[in-house]
Amino acid sequence: MRGGYLAGRGAYMIRQITKRIWFRASLFSIAAILTALVAAWVAPFIPYELSLRVGGKAVDNILTIMASSMLAVTTFALSASVTAYGSATSTVTPRATQLLIDDRFTQNALSTFVGTFLFSIVGIIALTTGLYGAEGRVVLFFATILIVAIIAITLLRWIQHLSSFGRVRDTIERVETVARRAMQAWAKAPHLGAQPPVAVPDSAVAIYSAEIGYLAHIDVTGLARLADRQDLTIHIAGLPGALVHAERPLAHVVGAFDDEARKSINAAFSVLQDREFEQDPRFGLIVPTEIASRALSPAVNDPGTAIRVLGSVQRVLCDLVDTDRGEDAGRHERVHAPHLAIADMFDDAFRPIARDGAQIIEVQLRLQKTLAALAGHAPSSFATIAAHHANAAFTRAAAALGKGDDVAVLRAAARLVRREP
């Protein structure tokens, strides 16, 4: 928990870097280059008799083949990845594309292909310049055989991976995974590990952002350390996902503090141009709903995807009440953070589907059943707001469907949400 959801700004920035494809590609490439060069260092430890059994030209031919083939494979892999990103952007939602870009297997495969290409080039250059003796060629030969085996396995897995990568179902599952992780993290440590909100004193000083964008991450641990050190009380004004600007404060601070402390407080709030999933459970409900809305558009007309999204959203919301609180809950006594409003999450999850699928009885029935299931699963938390959305969805659908059996069936389903006979 502390290593991810409640991690400090430094750990957050490191995670942002390690998720980038260039980072993995660089590591694999450096490892490949070192593997090629270390053969010259290991050469003195190779028996001379073994070097006689390995032909001098064997390594040259293999490396030449690998260099030419890996260039083609890398180009193919990049083209397939870009196609998947474009497909997700046009057929699912642009907000889910980053999850495909961050896919670890894709990054590892591309990094392996690039690293192998560089290994081959460095090996050929070293052989041409005479860096290796006969014994060094032996080491390079066995290293090359090992890399060929790795490439064969990676390529086969990559081909299998492409069969689902970037498809609608695959993207929905990826969004659900990160959304459930964020919701479970919030349930384990509500208010980001801080205290619930209280009334902000009039003497509190507002801290504003110098940037315009979305709150992506809040270093609550860093704020708590600063508050303990300088005897402050910090009231966070908005949760990750909130749009901040020069007129909307990041936090209110009670107590005396200097400019250095002000800079530290400001630095604890990471502001980006796009929302992120990690500390933003609501974003994990907005993205699948966008997928459903696109599927319900007249151009796509895919109610099955919307129905699948409703099941995904239901599982995410259930995690909020099913996950037990962890040891990090409320551990920062001098920092207060807002509530995660259930009404807002239901608005994010169900209102767009109720609007865009108003004329499709199958979607409306599944929507009512999902709301009824949530109301029954956690009556104290969900029943009232679920009944409100059931009424609103029925009103929209009745107006769109007109008179007929569909409206009667839908009315009966809406009554189940309100627990009416």
Side-chain angles (χ1 to χ4, degrees):
M1 175 73 73
R2 295 181 187 181
Y5 179 67
L6 299 180
R9 179 176 173 81
Y12 168 74
M13 296 304 296
I14 291 174
R15 283 199 312 278
Q16 293 299 104
I17 293 174
T18 56
K19 288 194 301 184
R20 300 295 181 256
I21 187 171
W22 62 262
F23 178 80
R24 291 176 184 267
S26 299
L27 289 183
F28 274 75
S29 299
I30 292 172
I33 292 172
L34 292 177
T35 301
L37 295 178
V38 80
W41 180 78
V42 179
F45 303 98
I46 302 300
Y48 179 73
E49 294 77 9
L50 183 60
S51 65
L52 296 177
R53 298 182 181 180
V54 178
K57 294 294 183 181
V59 183
D60 307 60
N61 295 334
I62 296 174
L63 289 176
T64 301
I65 295 172
M66 283 179 55
S68 59
S69 61
M70 280 302 101
L71 184 59
V73 169
T74 302
T75 303
F76 158 73
L78 284 172
S79 300
S81 299
V82 171
T83 300
Y85 303 154
S87 176
T89 300
S90 60
T91 62
V92 187
T93 172
R95 259 62 61 190
T97 306
Q98 188 60 45
L99 295 178
L100 301 180
I101 297 175
D102 293 341
D103 179 60
R104 290 189 175 184
F105 180 80
T106 301
Q107 292 186 357
N108 288 340
L110 292 173
S111 302
T112 301
F113 299 151
V114 173
T116 302
F117 172 73
L118 292 178
F119 167 83
S120 305
I121 294 297
V122 172
I124 292 173
I125 293 173
L127 288 172
T128 303
T129 57
L131 180 62
Y132 303 121
E135 292 82 0
R137 287 173 176 268
V138 174
V139 178
L140 189 61
F141 174 79
F142 285 110
T144 302
I145 295 301
L146 176 61
I147 290 178
V148 168
I150 294 174
I151 284 296
I153 295 172
T154 303
L155 191 56
L156 290 174
R157 293 183 62 197
W158 171 249
I159 293 173
Q160 174 63 31
H161 186 65
L162 287 180
S163 63
S164 60
F165 185 58
R167 305 296 188 269
V168 174
R169 177 174 179 175
D170 174 65
T171 307
I172 293 175
E173 290 175 353
R174 290 175 187 273
V175 173
E176 180 182 339
T177 298
V178 296
R180 295 189 67 178
R181 189 183 302 139
M183 190 66 77
Q184 291 166 5
W186 176 273
K188 289 179 181 178
H191 312 286
L192 304 174
Q195 300 298 313
V198 295
V200 179
D202 294 336
S203 60
V205 178
I207 304 294
Y208 293 91
S209 172
E211 304 175 73
I212 300 175
Y214 294 97
L215 269 180
H217 181 271
I218 302 176
D219 180 9
V220 181
T221 302
L223 291 175
R225 290 198 192 103
L226 179 65
D228 292 336
R229 190 166 60 248
Q230 301 203 10
D231 192 24
L232 304 174
T233 300
I234 300 176
H235 300 265
I236 296 173
L239 294 174
L243 178 65
V244 297
H245 45 78
E247 303 301 321
R248 180 173 182 175
L250 297 171
H252 296 89
V253 183
V254 180
F257 61 96
D258 54 17
D259 288 341
E260 196 63 32
R262 181 188 294 271
K263 292 179 182 178
S264 298
I265 295 171
N266 230 305
F269 295 84
S270 298
V271 179
L272 300 177
Q273 293 184 358
D274 299 303
R275 297 175 71 166
E276 293 196 342
F277 292 94
E278 185 177 292
Q279 287 188 342
D280 188 1
R282 286 185 60 185
F283 192 48
L285 295 170
I286 291 172
V287 174
T289 304
E290 287 184 353
I291 298 174
S293 292
R294 178 165 292 189
L296 291 172
S297 65
V300 179
N301 191 23
D302 180 18
T305 293
I307 291 172
R308 185 179 184 86
V309 165
L310 284 170
S312 177
V313 165
Q314 180 180 348
R315 288 186 287 271
V316 173
L317 287 171
C318 284
D319 283 337
L320 179 64
V321 295
D322 292 343
T323 306
D324 296 329
R325 293 198 174 194
E327 60 180 10
D328 289 317
R331 68 188 179 97
H332 301 308
E333 296 183 356
R334 290 179 173 270
V335 182
H336 297 265
H339 292 293
L340 184 63
I342 293 178
D344 291 340
M345 290 191 290
F346 269 69
D347 288 343
D348 297 333
F350 299 116
R351 186 164 56 189
I353 298 178
R355 178 195 65 222
D356 298 329
Q359 293 181 320
I360 305 175
I361 183 61
E362 294 82 7
V363 173
Q364 290 301 318
L365 284 174
R366 180 56 189 268
L367 175 60
Q368 296 291 343
K369 291 177 180 179
T370 300
L371 291 169
L374 288 170
H377 185 75
S380 60
S381 300
F382 294 153
T384 301
I385 189 64
H388 168 75
H389 276 271
N391 289 333
F394 172 75
T395 301
R396 286 179 182 271
L401 294 171
K403 298 181 179 179
D405 294 339
D406 288 346
V407 175
V409 172
L410 192 59
R411 181 181 288 108
R415 286 174 178 168
L416 293 177
V417 185
R418 301 189 298 268
R419 295 294 190 270
E420 295 178 359

